[in-house]
Amino acid sequence: MFDEAVRALREWQRDDLPFQLHPGDLGWYRRFGNQEAAAAVRIWRADGQIVAVGLLDGADLLRFTIAPDARQDEELARRLADDVCAPERGVLPAGTVYVESPRGTRFQELMFERGWQSDVPWTPLRLRLGAQLLDPDVPIEVIGHDHADVHAAVIRASFEKSTFTEERWHAMAVGSPYADARSLVAFDRGVAVAAITVWSAGPGRPGLIEPMGVHRDHRGKGFGTAITIAGAAALRELGSSSALVCTPSSNVGAVATYRAAGFEALPEVHDQRRD
């Protein structure tokens, strides 16, 4: 089921659609292992075809998208809303929970009608890859299995509560989405200072940055911008049409970093919350 979901998500990625769940999101979640990643995926079908895919990202957040040609389908929207709102159906538990879904769908309208609220804003950003990219101006290395510990250590030092390890890097890298992904590390005088993983959805489709981090001891020196530029270049080599990333709007440093790398901020998006 995991690989089925990845294939569907690849087909649904388009530059003219709102920011949505990406196969790279499933690829990053694969760090927890095959069994846990498969258990976190939710699939809905109609007439034998996948029409919606969700990822239970933690205990209380469903990251969710719908096939582009089914986003205004009333019957499907009601079916999805019924499943998401009823804890006994096994999509989300009872209590305060969150749903991330593309804006402008009938499903999202129904959730508001049922009393769900907008949560904190997030800022999606996009860099179209047809134009010339900036120069990262620092040494960049593509990381494989032999140096997974280097990449994992930088990511772990970039996020306060990160549990990313070398073992989890390997678990991520053997998943099917990683066939079209790259992990990169930036160095300063031989010291690993920033890291990124980028995920292609195939030629001519938008790729995703998830995650990007700068080591806590090396911030404020432009390394975030440098590794982001290098990640965008890697996506262009993989055939991606654009590079996408989404970060909390409150993280003004991250938004500034992506903008410095040439990204354009798109309209803010909000998860929906049931209290």
Side-chain angles (χ1 to χ4, degrees), residues 205-229:
R205 298 188 174 105
L208 179 73
I209 293 173
E210 180 67 295
M212 184 280 287
V214 179
H215 194 294
R216 65 176 65 93
D217 295 335
H218 300 277
R219 291 174 181 161
K221 302 176 183 178
F223 297 131
T225 299
I227 196 66
T228 299
I229 293 169

Side-chain angles (χ1 to χ4, degrees), residues 67-143:
D69 60 357
R71 294 188 172 182
Q72 297 303 320
D73 186 292
E74 183 73 22
E75 181 180 354
L76 176 61
R78 292 190 179 279
R79 175 184 161 198
L80 295 170
D82 288 345
D83 287 346
V84 170
C85 291
E88 65 272 14
R89 299 194 181 185
V91 178
L92 276 170
T96 301
V97 290
Y98 306 83
V99 173
E100 171 200 295
S101 65
R103 56 185 172 83
T105 64
R106 179 61 182 135
F107 165 80
Q108 199 172 76
E109 292 174 355
L110 277 176
M111 299 296 277
F112 282 127
E113 291 173 13
R114 296 185 183 200
W116 290 56
Q117 306 294 318
S118 287
D119 200 53
V120 297
W122 290 67
T123 298
L125 300 104
R126 177 178 60 203
L127 174 63
R128 296 194 181 276
L129 297 176
Q132 183 176 355
L133 300 177
L134 300 172
D135 184 348
D137 201 31
V138 297
I140 304 289
E141 291 187 15
V142 178
I143 298 299

